[in-house]
Amino acid sequence: MPSVRPNSLFRTSSFRLTLLYAAVFGGSVVVLLGFIYWATAGYLGRQLEDVVETELATLADVEVDDGRAVLVDAIAERLKLRSNRSAYYQARTSDGVTIAGNISPDRIAAFTDTGWHQLSLTGTSGGEPRRIRGKAVFLPDGTYLFVGQDSRMLDEVHELIGHAFLLGGIMMLVLAVGGGAVLSRSILHRIDAINITSEHIVSGDLRRRIPRSGSGDEFDRLAANLNAMLDRIERLMGGMKQISNDIAHDLRTPLTRLRNTLETARRHATDFAGYETAIERAIADTDAILETFGALLRIAQIEAGARRASFAELDLSAVVEAVLEVYVPAAEEKQQILSIDIAPGTRSSGDRELLMQLVANLCENAIRHSPRQTRIEVGLHATKDGSELVIADRGPGIPIEARGKVFQRFYRLESSRTTPGSGLGLSLVAAIAELHEIGIRLEDNEPGLRVVVTFLPIRMVPDSRVKTEGE
């Protein structure tokens, strides 16, 4: 696995995207913690004020019902209770004399107005000051009464939430950036693997393939598609090399024969008939060469997918019947019998001309390689997965070890190449079949060869719209 450059990680899109997500997530956390702070602090503040309001109302009722003396006693009783040490009181007369409470008279002597007040009290022994939240009222007899509560718990909650904000923010930032770095590093490893493989391929090593992790994720699917593309490119490049070698080998003979014919005519022909014979032989050899190049050109066009745009929905039964009408006379010339069993109305999709070429090449091979006075069976029928064309002859057949080679360009079972033909007929069949995603199997007919062609049902074809014949 390739190494990651130290400064390349922070330039990756995945890392920048991670930082963006971290910012969005951080903002969400801040909003969430802010709401928690507001809700918690608000609830505690309202609870403290409710306690003060209730206590103030109770003492006011005492003073109204029982007088100032009872009010002073009530405050003193409350200050004696250990559970009430967070409560603070001060009562003073209308002339400013403090008569009850645990707050120094001078601390709130300046308060002459009613309502809520915030005090900061320091104990006699020093220490941290206490924050008091309280409310003052004037009673009917002119007594100024202040009741407050220690707000230390509220302050602690504020401090706790503040620490949670800080720690949560730091942890969120560390996890987001760290997780982003790990994720980006992993993604960068996979992308670098693709880049390194591409560099090797550009350098000429077409055997290199992109490694897969086996997780089945989108990178594995991308690697699988790219590897499939590279396999096809390698096959095409190999085919080009093989074609060059085959052209040099297979066209040498007709070109040599053509040259010898012309050379013989130049040296030995003495009359018009001799020159005419030489010209006819030269034209025949030239036609054979042109036919070979034409077949190679058609195969190249088909393999390039140039004919895919002409795909249309078609009647496959009519296509096969049209081809057989042409080849029935050729079979009769060899006293062969074409046994035809075509199911009507069988439909598929594709290029009509190419499919006719495929069926014609297979029928021509069957007729050419079958002996005289034999039966050739041609059948077309629908299957659950589409339709199936079967062409079975009684010829010599094809050995098992050669069945994978007969679809290669210029391959011929007869190594002497004395019989007519270029060895491109089945290569053209294979190219058409691959373009249409048609399956072809070669089986033993005992004796002879049985060719099974499997057509897919009508479907939409990539890069084109399946049309109907006549559009």
PDB file of all heavy atoms in Angstrom, residues 320 323-324 338-339 342 358-367 370 375-380 388-394 441-443 445 448-453:
ATOM      1  N   VAL A 320     -34.306 -15.072 -38.797  1.00  0.00           N
ATOM      2  CA  VAL A 320     -33.753 -16.402 -39.081  1.00  0.00           C
ATOM      3  C   VAL A 320     -34.360 -16.977 -40.359  1.00  0.00           C
ATOM      4  O   VAL A 320     -33.656 -17.570 -41.196  1.00  0.00           O
ATOM      5  CB  VAL A 320     -34.001 -17.335 -37.879  1.00  0.00           C
ATOM      6  CG1 VAL A 320     -33.498 -18.755 -38.186  1.00  0.00           C
ATOM      7  CG2 VAL A 320     -33.309 -16.798 -36.631  1.00  0.00           C
ATOM      8  N   VAL A 323     -32.746 -15.486 -43.462  1.00  0.00           N
ATOM      9  CA  VAL A 323     -31.418 -16.034 -43.736  1.00  0.00           C
ATOM     10  C   VAL A 323     -31.540 -17.436 -44.342  1.00  0.00           C
ATOM     11  O   VAL A 323     -30.832 -17.778 -45.314  1.00  0.00           O
ATOM     12  CB  VAL A 323     -30.583 -16.061 -42.447  1.00  0.00           C
ATOM     13  CG1 VAL A 323     -29.258 -16.787 -42.686  1.00  0.00           C
ATOM     14  CG2 VAL A 323     -30.328 -14.648 -41.943  1.00  0.00           C
ATOM     15  N   LEU A 324     -32.421 -18.256 -43.811  1.00  0.00           N
ATOM     16  CA  LEU A 324     -32.543 -19.640 -44.297  1.00  0.00           C
ATOM     17  C   LEU A 324     -33.053 -19.684 -45.735  1.00  0.00           C
ATOM     18  O   LEU A 324     -32.710 -20.607 -46.490  1.00  0.00           O
ATOM     19  CB  LEU A 324     -33.487 -20.423 -43.369  1.00  0.00           C
ATOM     20  CG  LEU A 324     -32.936 -20.673 -41.951  1.00  0.00           C
ATOM     21  CD1 LEU A 324     -33.963 -21.397 -41.101  1.00  0.00           C
ATOM     22  CD2 LEU A 324     -31.644 -21.486 -42.014  1.00  0.00           C
ATOM     23  N   LEU A 338     -32.146 -29.191 -44.962  1.00  0.00           N
ATOM     24  CA  LEU A 338     -32.273 -28.247 -43.862  1.00  0.00           C
ATOM     25  C   LEU A 338     -33.591 -28.503 -43.149  1.00  0.00           C
ATOM     26  O   LEU A 338     -34.676 -28.263 -43.690  1.00  0.00           O
ATOM     27  CB  LEU A 338     -32.228 -26.803 -44.380  1.00  0.00           C
ATOM     28  CG  LEU A 338     -30.854 -26.188 -44.631  1.00  0.00           C
ATOM     29  CD1 LEU A 338     -31.002 -24.762 -45.146  1.00  0.00           C
ATOM     30  CD2 LEU A 338     -30.033 -26.190 -43.356  1.00  0.00           C
ATOM     31  N   SER A 339     -33.499 -29.041 -41.942  1.00  0.00           N
ATOM     32  CA  SER A 339     -34.678 -29.287 -41.109  1.00  0.00           C
ATOM     33  C   SER A 339     -34.924 -28.041 -40.259  1.00  0.00           C
ATOM     34  O   SER A 339     -34.134 -27.712 -39.366  1.00  0.00           O
ATOM     35  CB  SER A 339     -34.454 -30.509 -40.210  1.00  0.00           C
ATOM     36  OG  SER A 339     -35.553 -30.699 -39.339  1.00  0.00           O
ATOM     37  N   ILE A 342     -38.889 -23.238 -36.597  1.00  0.00           N
ATOM     38  CA  ILE A 342     -38.828 -21.854 -36.106  1.00  0.00           C
ATOM     39  C   ILE A 342     -40.137 -21.514 -35.415  1.00  0.00           C
ATOM     40  O   ILE A 342     -41.208 -21.553 -36.033  1.00  0.00           O
ATOM     41  CB  ILE A 342     -38.570 -20.852 -37.268  1.00  0.00           C
ATOM     42  CG1 ILE A 342     -37.320 -21.252 -38.064  1.00  0.00           C
ATOM     43  CG2 ILE A 342     -38.448 -19.430 -36.717  1.00  0.00           C
ATOM     44  CD1 ILE A 342     -36.071 -21.226 -37.248  1.00  0.00           C
ATOM     45  N   LEU A 358     -24.766 -12.844 -38.267  1.00  0.00           N
ATOM     46  CA  LEU A 358     -24.417 -13.906 -37.315  1.00  0.00           C
ATOM     47  C   LEU A 358     -25.049 -15.233 -37.724  1.00  0.00           C
ATOM     48  O   LEU A 358     -24.371 -16.271 -37.792  1.00  0.00           O
ATOM     49  CB  LEU A 358     -24.879 -13.484 -35.910  1.00  0.00           C
ATOM     50  CG  LEU A 358     -24.608 -14.454 -34.753  1.00  0.00           C
ATOM     51  CD1 LEU A 358     -24.307 -13.674 -33.466  1.00  0.00           C
ATOM     52  CD2 LEU A 358     -25.811 -15.362 -34.478  1.00  0.00           C
ATOM     53  N   VAL A 359     -26.358 -15.206 -37.994  1.00  0.00           N
ATOM     54  CA  VAL A 359     -27.045 -16.451 -38.381  1.00  0.00           C
ATOM     55  C   VAL A 359     -26.497 -16.970 -39.706  1.00  0.00           C
ATOM     56  O   VAL A 359     -26.304 -18.192 -39.885  1.00  0.00           O
ATOM     57  CB  VAL A 359     -28.565 -16.204 -38.461  1.00  0.00           C
ATOM     58  CG1 VAL A 359     -29.283 -17.477 -38.912  1.00  0.00           C
ATOM     59  CG2 VAL A 359     -29.106 -15.752 -37.107  1.00  0.00           C
ATOM     60  N   ALA A 360     -26.217 -16.071 -40.638  1.00  0.00           N
ATOM     61  CA  ALA A 360     -25.710 -16.490 -41.952  1.00  0.00           C
ATOM     62  C   ALA A 360     -24.350 -17.166 -41.822  1.00  0.00           C
ATOM     63  O   ALA A 360     -24.098 -18.214 -42.458  1.00  0.00           O
ATOM     64  CB  ALA A 360     -25.626 -15.277 -42.878  1.00  0.00           C
ATOM     65  N   ASN A 361     -23.457 -16.611 -41.035  1.00  0.00           N
ATOM     66  CA  ASN A 361     -22.131 -17.219 -40.878  1.00  0.00           C
ATOM     67  C   ASN A 361     -22.230 -18.605 -40.269  1.00  0.00           C
ATOM     68  O   ASN A 361     -21.508 -19.531 -40.672  1.00  0.00           O
ATOM     69  CB  ASN A 361     -21.255 -16.325 -40.005  1.00  0.00           C
ATOM     70  CG  ASN A 361     -20.725 -15.116 -40.751  1.00  0.00           C
ATOM     71  OD1 ASN A 361     -21.214 -14.788 -41.818  1.00  0.00           O
ATOM     72  ND2 ASN A 361     -19.725 -14.449 -40.194  1.00  0.00           N
ATOM     73  N   LEU A 362     -23.105 -18.773 -39.284  1.00  0.00           N
ATOM     74  CA  LEU A 362     -23.244 -20.093 -38.649  1.00  0.00           C
ATOM     75  C   LEU A 362     -23.848 -21.104 -39.619  1.00  0.00           C
ATOM     76  O   LEU A 362     -23.417 -22.265 -39.681  1.00  0.00           O
ATOM     77  CB  LEU A 362     -24.109 -19.976 -37.395  1.00  0.00           C
ATOM     78  CG  LEU A 362     -23.506 -19.159 -36.238  1.00  0.00           C
ATOM     79  CD1 LEU A 362     -24.485 -19.059 -35.079  1.00  0.00           C
ATOM     80  CD2 LEU A 362     -22.191 -19.777 -35.763  1.00  0.00           C
ATOM     81  N   CYS A 363     -24.852 -20.674 -40.406  1.00  0.00           N
ATOM     82  CA  CYS A 363     -25.452 -21.589 -41.388  1.00  0.00           C
ATOM     83  C   CYS A 363     -24.446 -21.947 -42.489  1.00  0.00           C
ATOM     84  O   CYS A 363     -24.369 -23.112 -42.930  1.00  0.00           O
ATOM     85  CB  CYS A 363     -26.698 -20.938 -42.002  1.00  0.00           C
ATOM     86  SG  CYS A 363     -28.100 -20.788 -40.875  1.00  0.00           S
ATOM     87  N   GLU A 364     -23.674 -20.963 -42.929  1.00  0.00           N
ATOM     88  CA  GLU A 364     -22.684 -21.219 -43.979  1.00  0.00           C
ATOM     89  C   GLU A 364     -21.626 -22.202 -43.499  1.00  0.00           C
ATOM     90  O   GLU A 364     -21.218 -23.100 -44.255  1.00  0.00           O
ATOM     91  CB  GLU A 364     -22.038 -19.896 -44.390  1.00  0.00           C
ATOM     92  CG  GLU A 364     -21.050 -20.039 -45.546  1.00  0.00           C
ATOM     93  CD  GLU A 364     -20.512 -18.710 -46.009  1.00  0.00           C
ATOM     94  OE1 GLU A 364     -21.089 -17.678 -45.617  1.00  0.00           O
ATOM     95  OE2 GLU A 364     -19.527 -18.711 -46.758  1.00  0.00           O
ATOM     96  N   ASN A 365     -21.184 -22.055 -42.257  1.00  0.00           N
ATOM     97  CA  ASN A 365     -20.210 -23.010 -41.711  1.00  0.00           C
ATOM     98  C   ASN A 365     -20.796 -24.412 -41.650  1.00  0.00           C
ATOM     99  O   ASN A 365     -20.111 -25.402 -41.960  1.00  0.00           O
ATOM    100  CB  ASN A 365     -19.777 -22.568 -40.312  1.00  0.00           C
ATOM    101  CG  ASN A 365     -18.654 -21.549 -40.356  1.00  0.00           C
ATOM    102  OD1 ASN A 365     -18.132 -21.253 -41.418  1.00  0.00           O
ATOM    103  ND2 ASN A 365     -18.297 -21.010 -39.203  1.00  0.00           N
ATOM    104  N   ALA A 366     -22.050 -24.506 -41.214  1.00  0.00           N
ATOM    105  CA  ALA A 366     -22.681 -25.831 -41.113  1.00  0.00           C
ATOM    106  C   ALA A 366     -22.781 -26.490 -42.481  1.00  0.00           C
ATOM    107  O   ALA A 366     -22.510 -27.696 -42.636  1.00  0.00           O
ATOM    108  CB  ALA A 366     -24.062 -25.697 -40.468  1.00  0.00           C
ATOM    109  N   ILE A 367     -23.174 -25.720 -43.499  1.00  0.00           N
ATOM    110  CA  ILE A 367     -23.314 -26.284 -44.850  1.00  0.00           C
ATOM    111  C   ILE A 367     -21.948 -26.633 -45.430  1.00  0.00           C
ATOM    112  O   ILE A 367     -21.762 -27.692 -46.050  1.00  0.00           O
ATOM    113  CB  ILE A 367     -24.058 -25.277 -45.758  1.00  0.00           C
ATOM    114  CG1 ILE A 367     -25.505 -25.123 -45.281  1.00  0.00           C
ATOM    115  CG2 ILE A 367     -24.023 -25.730 -47.215  1.00  0.00           C
ATOM    116  CD1 ILE A 367     -26.268 -24.024 -46.006  1.00  0.00           C
ATOM    117  N   SER A 370     -20.341 -29.785 -43.556  1.00  0.00           N
ATOM    118  CA  SER A 370     -21.109 -31.028 -43.488  1.00  0.00           C
ATOM    119  C   SER A 370     -20.961 -31.799 -44.798  1.00  0.00           C
ATOM    120  O   SER A 370     -20.919 -31.197 -45.886  1.00  0.00           O
ATOM    121  CB  SER A 370     -22.594 -30.735 -43.233  1.00  0.00           C
ATOM    122  OG  SER A 370     -22.770 -30.143 -41.968  1.00  0.00           O
ATOM    123  N   ARG A 375     -28.228 -34.223 -42.882  1.00  0.00           N
ATOM    124  CA  ARG A 375     -29.276 -33.346 -42.372  1.00  0.00           C
ATOM    125  C   ARG A 375     -28.663 -32.268 -41.472  1.00  0.00           C
ATOM    126  O   ARG A 375     -27.809 -32.553 -40.632  1.00  0.00           O
ATOM    127  CB  ARG A 375     -30.299 -34.162 -41.579  1.00  0.00           C
ATOM    128  CG  ARG A 375     -31.405 -33.319 -40.928  1.00  0.00           C
ATOM    129  CD  ARG A 375     -32.314 -34.210 -40.098  1.00  0.00           C
ATOM    130  NE  ARG A 375     -33.039 -35.121 -40.945  1.00  0.00           N
ATOM    131  CZ  ARG A 375     -34.229 -34.873 -41.496  1.00  0.00           C
ATOM    132  NH1 ARG A 375     -34.807 -33.704 -41.268  1.00  0.00           N
ATOM    133  NH2 ARG A 375     -34.828 -35.759 -42.241  1.00  0.00           N
ATOM    134  N   ILE A 376     -29.117 -31.048 -41.685  1.00  0.00           N
ATOM    135  CA  ILE A 376     -28.723 -29.919 -40.832  1.00  0.00           C
ATOM    136  C   ILE A 376     -29.990 -29.388 -40.165  1.00  0.00           C
ATOM    137  O   ILE A 376     -30.945 -29.016 -40.858  1.00  0.00           O
ATOM    138  CB  ILE A 376     -28.034 -28.799 -41.646  1.00  0.00           C
ATOM    139  CG1 ILE A 376     -26.760 -29.335 -42.305  1.00  0.00           C
ATOM    140  CG2 ILE A 376     -27.707 -27.602 -40.751  1.00  0.00           C
ATOM    141  CD1 ILE A 376     -26.107 -28.349 -43.253  1.00  0.00           C
ATOM    142  N   GLU A 377     -29.995 -29.369 -38.861  1.00  0.00           N
ATOM    143  CA  GLU A 377     -31.191 -28.969 -38.112  1.00  0.00           C
ATOM    144  C   GLU A 377     -31.015 -27.531 -37.591  1.00  0.00           C
ATOM    145  O   GLU A 377     -30.001 -27.195 -36.980  1.00  0.00           O
ATOM    146  CB  GLU A 377     -31.429 -29.919 -36.939  1.00  0.00           C
ATOM    147  CG  GLU A 377     -31.668 -31.364 -37.391  1.00  0.00           C
ATOM    148  CD  GLU A 377     -31.776 -32.323 -36.210  1.00  0.00           C
ATOM    149  OE1 GLU A 377     -31.503 -31.868 -35.074  1.00  0.00           O
ATOM    150  OE2 GLU A 377     -32.117 -33.494 -36.422  1.00  0.00           O
ATOM    151  N   VAL A 378     -32.024 -26.733 -37.875  1.00  0.00           N
ATOM    152  CA  VAL A 378     -32.039 -25.345 -37.406  1.00  0.00           C
ATOM    153  C   VAL A 378     -33.338 -25.128 -36.636  1.00  0.00           C
ATOM    154  O   VAL A 378     -34.429 -25.332 -37.189  1.00  0.00           O
ATOM    155  CB  VAL A 378     -31.937 -24.346 -38.575  1.00  0.00           C
ATOM    156  CG1 VAL A 378     -31.951 -22.914 -38.043  1.00  0.00           C
ATOM    157  CG2 VAL A 378     -30.687 -24.609 -39.403  1.00  0.00           C
ATOM    158  N   GLY A 379     -33.214 -24.729 -35.373  1.00  0.00           N
ATOM    159  CA  GLY A 379     -34.401 -24.522 -34.540  1.00  0.00           C
ATOM    160  C   GLY A 379     -34.303 -23.242 -33.731  1.00  0.00           C
ATOM    161  O   GLY A 379     -33.227 -22.851 -33.287  1.00  0.00           O
ATOM    162  N   LEU A 380     -35.435 -22.575 -33.566  1.00  0.00           N
ATOM    163  CA  LEU A 380     -35.520 -21.361 -32.743  1.00  0.00           C
ATOM    164  C   LEU A 380     -36.747 -21.482 -31.861  1.00  0.00           C
ATOM    165  O   LEU A 380     -37.861 -21.686 -32.356  1.00  0.00           O
ATOM    166  CB  LEU A 380     -35.617 -20.104 -33.629  1.00  0.00           C
ATOM    167  CG  LEU A 380     -35.813 -18.773 -32.883  1.00  0.00           C
ATOM    168  CD1 LEU A 380     -34.575 -18.430 -32.068  1.00  0.00           C
ATOM    169  CD2 LEU A 380     -36.139 -17.650 -33.868  1.00  0.00           C
ATOM    170  N   GLU A 388     -33.647 -19.183 -27.890  1.00  0.00           N
ATOM    171  CA  GLU A 388     -32.470 -20.007 -28.162  1.00  0.00           C
ATOM    172  C   GLU A 388     -32.513 -20.495 -29.604  1.00  0.00           C
ATOM    173  O   GLU A 388     -33.509 -21.053 -30.061  1.00  0.00           O
ATOM    174  CB  GLU A 388     -32.439 -21.188 -27.189  1.00  0.00           C
ATOM    175  CG  GLU A 388     -31.080 -21.842 -27.042  1.00  0.00           C
ATOM    176  CD  GLU A 388     -31.068 -22.844 -25.909  1.00  0.00           C
ATOM    177  OE1 GLU A 388     -31.650 -23.925 -26.072  1.00  0.00           O
ATOM    178  OE2 GLU A 388     -30.474 -22.549 -24.853  1.00  0.00           O
ATOM    179  N   LEU A 389     -31.403 -20.254 -30.325  1.00  0.00           N
ATOM    180  CA  LEU A 389     -31.237 -20.733 -31.697  1.00  0.00           C
ATOM    181  C   LEU A 389     -30.243 -21.893 -31.671  1.00  0.00           C
ATOM    182  O   LEU A 389     -29.153 -21.755 -31.109  1.00  0.00           O
ATOM    183  CB  LEU A 389     -30.723 -19.610 -32.589  1.00  0.00           C
ATOM    184  CG  LEU A 389     -30.299 -20.006 -34.007  1.00  0.00           C
ATOM    185  CD1 LEU A 389     -31.509 -20.433 -34.833  1.00  0.00           C
ATOM    186  CD2 LEU A 389     -29.570 -18.846 -34.696  1.00  0.00           C
ATOM    187  N   VAL A 390     -30.619 -23.008 -32.286  1.00  0.00           N
ATOM    188  CA  VAL A 390     -29.770 -24.197 -32.316  1.00  0.00           C
ATOM    189  C   VAL A 390     -29.529 -24.583 -33.772  1.00  0.00           C
ATOM    190  O   VAL A 390     -30.479 -24.731 -34.551  1.00  0.00           O
ATOM    191  CB  VAL A 390     -30.411 -25.378 -31.554  1.00  0.00           C
ATOM    192  CG1 VAL A 390     -29.499 -26.611 -31.642  1.00  0.00           C
ATOM    193  CG2 VAL A 390     -30.674 -25.003 -30.107  1.00  0.00           C
ATOM    194  N   ILE A 391     -28.248 -24.721 -34.140  1.00  0.00           N
ATOM    195  CA  ILE A 391     -27.859 -25.178 -35.478  1.00  0.00           C
ATOM    196  C   ILE A 391     -26.979 -26.404 -35.289  1.00  0.00           C
ATOM    197  O   ILE A 391     -25.868 -26.307 -34.760  1.00  0.00           O
ATOM    198  CB  ILE A 391     -27.110 -24.078 -36.249  1.00  0.00           C
ATOM    199  CG1 ILE A 391     -27.977 -22.831 -36.391  1.00  0.00           C
ATOM    200  CG2 ILE A 391     -26.663 -24.587 -37.614  1.00  0.00           C
ATOM    201  CD1 ILE A 391     -27.281 -21.670 -37.078  1.00  0.00           C
ATOM    202  N   ALA A 392     -27.484 -27.558 -35.723  1.00  0.00           N
ATOM    203  CA  ALA A 392     -26.771 -28.833 -35.520  1.00  0.00           C
ATOM    204  C   ALA A 392     -26.500 -29.478 -36.873  1.00  0.00           C
ATOM    205  O   ALA A 392     -27.395 -29.608 -37.700  1.00  0.00           O
ATOM    206  CB  ALA A 392     -27.597 -29.768 -34.641  1.00  0.00           C
ATOM    207  N   ASP A 393     -25.222 -29.863 -37.093  1.00  0.00           N
ATOM    208  CA  ASP A 393     -24.854 -30.500 -38.365  1.00  0.00           C
ATOM    209  C   ASP A 393     -24.256 -31.873 -38.088  1.00  0.00           C
ATOM    210  O   ASP A 393     -24.109 -32.293 -36.943  1.00  0.00           O
ATOM    211  CB  ASP A 393     -23.875 -29.616 -39.157  1.00  0.00           C
ATOM    212  CG  ASP A 393     -22.581 -29.351 -38.390  1.00  0.00           C
ATOM    213  OD1 ASP A 393     -21.949 -30.318 -37.907  1.00  0.00           O
ATOM    214  OD2 ASP A 393     -22.188 -28.165 -38.250  1.00  0.00           O
ATOM    215  N   ARG A 394     -23.918 -32.560 -39.173  1.00  0.00           N
ATOM    216  CA  ARG A 394     -23.333 -33.902 -39.067  1.00  0.00           C
ATOM    217  C   ARG A 394     -21.913 -33.923 -39.637  1.00  0.00           C
ATOM    218  O   ARG A 394     -21.453 -34.936 -40.149  1.00  0.00           O
ATOM    219  CB  ARG A 394     -24.196 -34.906 -39.838  1.00  0.00           C
ATOM    220  CG  ARG A 394     -25.593 -35.063 -39.296  1.00  0.00           C
ATOM    221  CD  ARG A 394     -25.597 -35.778 -37.973  1.00  0.00           C
ATOM    222  NE  ARG A 394     -26.940 -35.917 -37.420  1.00  0.00           N
ATOM    223  CZ  ARG A 394     -27.220 -36.548 -36.292  1.00  0.00           C
ATOM    224  NH1 ARG A 394     -26.237 -37.089 -35.598  1.00  0.00           N
ATOM    225  NH2 ARG A 394     -28.453 -36.622 -35.861  1.00  0.00           N
ATOM    226  N   ARG A 441     -22.616 -21.385 -27.296  1.00  0.00           N
ATOM    227  CA  ARG A 441     -21.993 -22.622 -26.805  1.00  0.00           C
ATOM    228  C   ARG A 441     -21.772 -23.564 -27.983  1.00  0.00           C
ATOM    229  O   ARG A 441     -22.636 -23.703 -28.856  1.00  0.00           O
ATOM    230  CB  ARG A 441     -22.882 -23.327 -25.775  1.00  0.00           C
ATOM    231  CG  ARG A 441     -23.174 -22.511 -24.547  1.00  0.00           C
ATOM    232  CD  ARG A 441     -23.746 -23.397 -23.431  1.00  0.00           C
ATOM    233  NE  ARG A 441     -24.786 -24.290 -23.877  1.00  0.00           N
ATOM    234  CZ  ARG A 441     -26.085 -23.967 -23.930  1.00  0.00           C
ATOM    235  NH1 ARG A 441     -26.462 -22.742 -23.601  1.00  0.00           N
ATOM    236  NH2 ARG A 441     -26.981 -24.844 -24.317  1.00  0.00           N
ATOM    237  N   LEU A 442     -20.608 -24.201 -27.986  1.00  0.00           N
ATOM    238  CA  LEU A 442     -20.301 -25.231 -28.981  1.00  0.00           C
ATOM    239  C   LEU A 442     -20.346 -26.572 -28.286  1.00  0.00           C
ATOM    240  O   LEU A 442     -19.618 -26.811 -27.321  1.00  0.00           O
ATOM    241  CB  LEU A 442     -18.917 -24.980 -29.602  1.00  0.00           C
ATOM    242  CG  LEU A 442     -18.706 -23.611 -30.276  1.00  0.00           C
ATOM    243  CD1 LEU A 442     -17.306 -23.535 -30.866  1.00  0.00           C
ATOM    244  CD2 LEU A 442     -19.762 -23.371 -31.354  1.00  0.00           C
ATOM    245  N   GLU A 443     -21.206 -27.476 -28.797  1.00  0.00           N
ATOM    246  CA  GLU A 443     -21.397 -28.785 -28.172  1.00  0.00           C
ATOM    247  C   GLU A 443     -21.213 -29.883 -29.211  1.00  0.00           C
ATOM    248  O   GLU A 443     -21.280 -29.653 -30.425  1.00  0.00           O
ATOM    249  CB  GLU A 443     -22.803 -28.876 -27.544  1.00  0.00           C
ATOM    250  CG  GLU A 443     -23.070 -27.804 -26.488  1.00  0.00           C
ATOM    251  CD  GLU A 443     -24.508 -27.838 -25.991  1.00  0.00           C
ATOM    252  OE1 GLU A 443     -25.330 -28.565 -26.615  1.00  0.00           O
ATOM    253  OE2 GLU A 443     -24.828 -27.148 -24.994  1.00  0.00           O
ATOM    254  N   ASN A 445     -22.436 -32.907 -31.302  1.00  0.00           N
ATOM    255  CA  ASN A 445     -23.726 -33.391 -31.806  1.00  0.00           C
ATOM    256  C   ASN A 445     -23.725 -34.894 -32.026  1.00  0.00           C
ATOM    257  O   ASN A 445     -24.753 -35.475 -32.367  1.00  0.00           O
ATOM    258  CB  ASN A 445     -24.078 -32.674 -33.122  1.00  0.00           C
ATOM    259  CG  ASN A 445     -25.534 -32.797 -33.476  1.00  0.00           C
ATOM    260  OD1 ASN A 445     -26.397 -32.726 -32.611  1.00  0.00           O
ATOM    261  ND2 ASN A 445     -25.833 -32.975 -34.765  1.00  0.00           N
ATOM    262  N   GLY A 448     -20.785 -34.510 -35.322  1.00  0.00           N
ATOM    263  CA  GLY A 448     -21.025 -33.167 -35.807  1.00  0.00           C
ATOM    264  C   GLY A 448     -20.940 -32.131 -34.698  1.00  0.00           C
ATOM    265  O   GLY A 448     -20.514 -32.407 -33.575  1.00  0.00           O
ATOM    266  N   LEU A 449     -21.348 -30.934 -35.054  1.00  0.00           N
ATOM    267  CA  LEU A 449     -21.263 -29.800 -34.134  1.00  0.00           C
ATOM    268  C   LEU A 449     -22.659 -29.247 -33.878  1.00  0.00           C
ATOM    269  O   LEU A 449     -23.472 -29.121 -34.795  1.00  0.00           O
ATOM    270  CB  LEU A 449     -20.377 -28.698 -34.736  1.00  0.00           C
ATOM    271  CG  LEU A 449     -20.191 -27.440 -33.882  1.00  0.00           C
ATOM    272  CD1 LEU A 449     -19.398 -27.767 -32.617  1.00  0.00           C
ATOM    273  CD2 LEU A 449     -19.495 -26.344 -34.689  1.00  0.00           C
ATOM    274  N   ARG A 450     -22.908 -28.919 -32.633  1.00  0.00           N
ATOM    275  CA  ARG A 450     -24.174 -28.311 -32.230  1.00  0.00           C
ATOM    276  C   ARG A 450     -23.858 -26.921 -31.666  1.00  0.00           C
ATOM    277  O   ARG A 450     -23.175 -26.798 -30.641  1.00  0.00           O
ATOM    278  CB  ARG A 450     -24.859 -29.192 -31.181  1.00  0.00           C
ATOM    279  CG  ARG A 450     -26.139 -28.615 -30.591  1.00  0.00           C
ATOM    280  CD  ARG A 450     -26.661 -29.562 -29.517  1.00  0.00           C
ATOM    281  NE  ARG A 450     -27.725 -28.973 -28.734  1.00  0.00           N
ATOM    282  CZ  ARG A 450     -29.018 -29.074 -29.038  1.00  0.00           C
ATOM    283  NH1 ARG A 450     -29.377 -29.759 -30.116  1.00  0.00           N
ATOM    284  NH2 ARG A 450     -29.928 -28.512 -28.277  1.00  0.00           N
ATOM    285  N   VAL A 451     -24.343 -25.880 -32.340  1.00  0.00           N
ATOM    286  CA  VAL A 451     -24.119 -24.498 -31.913  1.00  0.00           C
ATOM    287  C   VAL A 451     -25.402 -23.986 -31.264  1.00  0.00           C
ATOM    288  O   VAL A 451     -26.470 -24.001 -31.887  1.00  0.00           O
ATOM    289  CB  VAL A 451     -23.734 -23.594 -33.095  1.00  0.00           C
ATOM    290  CG1 VAL A 451     -23.464 -22.172 -32.609  1.00  0.00           C
ATOM    291  CG2 VAL A 451     -22.517 -24.157 -33.823  1.00  0.00           C
ATOM    292  N   VAL A 452     -25.296 -23.553 -30.006  1.00  0.00           N
ATOM    293  CA  VAL A 452     -26.451 -23.043 -29.258  1.00  0.00           C
ATOM    294  C   VAL A 452     -26.236 -21.552 -29.023  1.00  0.00           C
ATOM    295  O   VAL A 452     -25.272 -21.143 -28.371  1.00  0.00           O
ATOM    296  CB  VAL A 452     -26.624 -23.779 -27.912  1.00  0.00           C
ATOM    297  CG1 VAL A 452     -27.847 -23.238 -27.169  1.00  0.00           C
ATOM    298  CG2 VAL A 452     -26.752 -25.282 -28.137  1.00  0.00           C
ATOM    299  N   VAL A 453     -27.131 -20.733 -29.566  1.00  0.00           N
ATOM    300  CA  VAL A 453     -27.048 -19.275 -29.447  1.00  0.00           C
ATOM    301  C   VAL A 453     -28.192 -18.809 -28.548  1.00  0.00           C
ATOM    302  O   VAL A 453     -29.366 -19.056 -28.858  1.00  0.00           O
ATOM    303  CB  VAL A 453     -27.129 -18.597 -30.826  1.00  0.00           C
ATOM    304  CG1 VAL A 453     -26.944 -17.090 -30.686  1.00  0.00           C
ATOM    305  CG2 VAL A 453     -26.088 -19.191 -31.769  1.00  0.00           C
TER     306      VAL A 453
END
